[in-house]
Each structure stands twice: as C-alpha cells, then as structure tokens.
Amino acid sequence: MIEVHRYTKDRKTEWDNFVRGAKNSTFLFLRGYMDYHSDRFRDCSLMFYDERNRLVGLLPANLAEDTLYSHRGLTYGGLVISHRQTTTVVREMFESMRSFLVEEGIVRVVYKALPWIYCEQPSDEPLYAMHVVCKDYKVVEREVSSVIDLNNPLKWRESRKSGLRNAAKNGIVVEFSSDFAAFWTILRNNLGQKYGVKPVHSLDEMLLLRERFPENILLASATKDGVMVGGIVVYVTPRVVHTQYISATPEGKRMGAIDAVVEMLLRSFPAQRYLDFGKSTEAHSEMLNADLLFQKEGFGARALCYDTYEWRNE
C-alpha cells in the first residue's frame, strides 16, 4: 500500500537525498532550485511511501485552483523514482495519487514528462502507469526541442561553418565566464527589442542559483577585445548540457560569436551525452519558430519531444 503526503519544509533533506539517488532526476528537482521562486507558485509537491514507510517516489508540483500541475516553474517534471523501482510499484503510486487527489478536491492534473535523454536508466514506468490508471488522459502539448548526440554528431550546415570561420577571423575569444551581469545586459536588450519581454530569470535570481549550483550553471562567453559580445548559459546535468539562454550583440551576431561558443560547448563536456538547445515551439506547441529551429538544426541538432499530459481526477 502506497501512502501519499504533501511535501513540507521539514522533509527537505529527505527530498533532496532521494533526488540525488534517483534514476530520472536533475538538480532542477532539488529544493534549492525549486524554491527560489516559491512566492510565485503554491507548492503541492507529493511524496510517496511504501508499507515500510520508505520513500519510493516524488512528484514536483504546484497547485492552482483545483488543478495539480507538474511544477510550472520547471522546464520538465514527472514522477521521480529510484533505480530499484518496478513498474508494479509505480502503478500503485499512480493509483494512490489519484485517490489522494480526489480526497483533496483536486479534479484535474497537468503532467509534464521528463524527456528520456535526461534519464540515467530507462524510466517509462510512469507513462505506462498513467496509461492504465488515468484512462482519460490526453496529450495537450508536444513541444519540439533540438538535440545533438555528442557521441554521434551530424555535420554543421555551411552557414554555421561560415560563422565559425568568421569568428576566428575576427579574433573572437571563447571561454567560461563568471560575468553574468554583462551577459544579462545583452540578453535583456535582445529580448526587449525583439519580443518585448524580459528573461524568465532576473539577474539576481540567476546569480542566486549560480551560487547554489556552481557546477551545474555555467556561462560560456564570446569576447572581442575583452568586451563580451555573446554567450550561452548552460545547465549541466549528468547526461545533458541544456542551453538555458543564448544571446549576442548585433556585432557578435555579425562575427559568428554564437557559432564559436557552440563549438566550444561541443568539446567541453566529455562526460555528457547530449546537448539540448531547448524548445522552438510557441503557443502551447501549436506554433513552430522556423527561424529558430533552422539555426539549431544548422548545428546538427534534431528533434526531441517534450510532452505534457492532462487528465480529470473525478
């Protein structure tokens, strides 16, 4: 029999220890990352215990009205499980979760699955459990990301190769940097002028997260004569390097700064298997940003789907 409990702050150490030992987790599920924006989301993360009171699963989640969401402050989510968990036990978790949510008056669930490239072992037990327990589920979003297999990379498109040659000709220097402030100025200017929006993270938030996770959050920069002209913020997980932000000045774009930074990233992480450029879809996956996708595919990246499911809990 699986018991379900809502996460409380006194369980932080237990939560974090489980995340570190799970087969389908990243540092984004640690409370130090999840809770930096706790003022924006009403946390309703769930913890699953077996009959011997052993923690066997976690669900990072937040609550809005009568809907439980795979935490909307995270890029991905889903049920986090240990290496030893079986399909049968995971199915019991879903059955217990459905009963628990009914008792709590939560009638709708929006569930983001963790893309398979982030899993250290095959981890589709939750998808099967959802299929047999939540029979009215449906796919409500299928967003497209672009990924490079670092063990088997494809050739770059000629336009990207040309950008790399241009960067070399212009003396662009690429390196890892701690000057997030300089990069955030470039990022804010680009997003504001092109889309009229701000970065999801403020500079202060990113510096806080960088302080908490210095080995996981890195800035790869491109400079010209000592002045930053572009860069990429990456989130490093055991199997994947994920580009969180990519931006360059007009001068940096002309000189191929981003091409040079990507080339550096491709040779900087021998322990990781994939480079994930992130999503190129908008409007809940209904619109494809073709220009953005063209740029990513020019580096040899190909499609990976980020799926979101929904079901009624009545």
Side-chain angles (χ1 to χ4, degrees), residues 61-297:
N62 72 279
L63 186 65
E65 297 180 345
D66 61 356
T67 300
L68 183 78
Y69 292 89
S70 276
H71 204 290
R72 289 190 289 180
L74 302 177
T75 306
Y76 40 68
L79 184 69
V80 180
I81 53 179
S82 69
H83 290 265
R84 62 185 176 84
Q85 283 317 317
T86 64
T87 302
T88 300
V89 174
V90 174
R91 176 175 176 170
E92 292 175 5
M93 291 186 209
F94 266 76
E95 290 170 343
S96 296
M97 177 173 66
R98 188 151 199 175
S99 298
F100 174 84
L101 295 179
V102 168
E103 293 176 1
E104 293 287 312
I106 299 171
V107 299
R108 178 171 167 258
V109 177
V110 178
Y111 181 96
K112 292 186 289 192
L114 181 68
W116 63 268
I117 62 172
Y118 289 87
C119 302
E120 295 187 33
Q121 293 287 333
S123 302
D124 278 350
E125 293 89 351
L127 293 183
Y128 172 76
M130 179 181 65
H131 179 70
V132 296
V133 175
C134 311
K135 296 184 181 296
D136 59 342
Y137 77 92
K138 58 184 178 180
V139 179
V140 291
E141 291 186 18
R142 175 159 285 161
E143 299 186 276
V144 173
S145 186
S146 301
V147 174
I148 294 175
D149 182 342
L150 298 176
N151 287 359
N152 188 29
L154 300 177
K155 292 182 179 180
W156 286 24
R157 190 175 287 133
E158 180 56 36
S159 58
R160 300 272 65 87
K161 293 180 182 178
S162 176
L164 189 59
R165 292 191 296 268
N166 197 27
K169 182 177 69 175
N170 283 281
I172 294 295
V173 175
V174 293
E175 60 187 350
F176 288 104
S177 170
S178 60
D179 194 354
F180 281 76
F183 176 75
W184 237 250
T185 298
I186 297 171
L187 180 65
R188 282 196 300 258
N189 288 341
N190 276 343
L191 291 179
Q193 292 171 10
K194 192 169 184 179
Y195 302 107
V197 299
K198 298 178 181 180
V200 173
H201 300 88
S202 69
L203 174 59
D204 286 342
E205 288 172 340
M206 184 53 65
L207 291 175
L208 172 66
L209 292 172
R210 160 73 172 173
E211 181 181 359
R212 291 178 178 177
F213 304 100
E215 297 180 358
N216 301 104
I217 300 177
L218 304 175
L219 168 61
S221 70
T223 59
K224 168 68 173 174
D225 298 328
V227 178
M228 191 179 299
V229 294
I232 300 178
V233 174
V234 294
Y235 280 14
V236 182
T237 62
R239 286 175 54 82
V240 181
V241 179
H242 181 277
T243 62
Q244 190 73 12
Y245 294 106
I246 302 175
S247 201
T249 65
E251 180 186 22
K253 293 174 184 177
R254 290 193 301 270
M255 293 189 297
I258 296 303
D259 301 281
V261 174
V262 170
E263 192 276 333
M264 183 187 79
L265 292 176
L266 292 178
R267 53 183 168 81
S268 296
F269 298 95
Q272 278 65 37
R273 176 66 188 271
Y274 300 100
L275 176 66
D276 183 355
F277 280 110
K279 305 168 188 176
S280 298
T281 41
E282 304 167 7
H284 301 288
S285 75
E286 294 300 318
M287 294 178 57
L288 187 65
N289 187 327
D291 291 339
L292 184 59
L293 185 64
F294 180 82
Q295 181 185 36
K296 296 172 182 178
E297 291 182 341

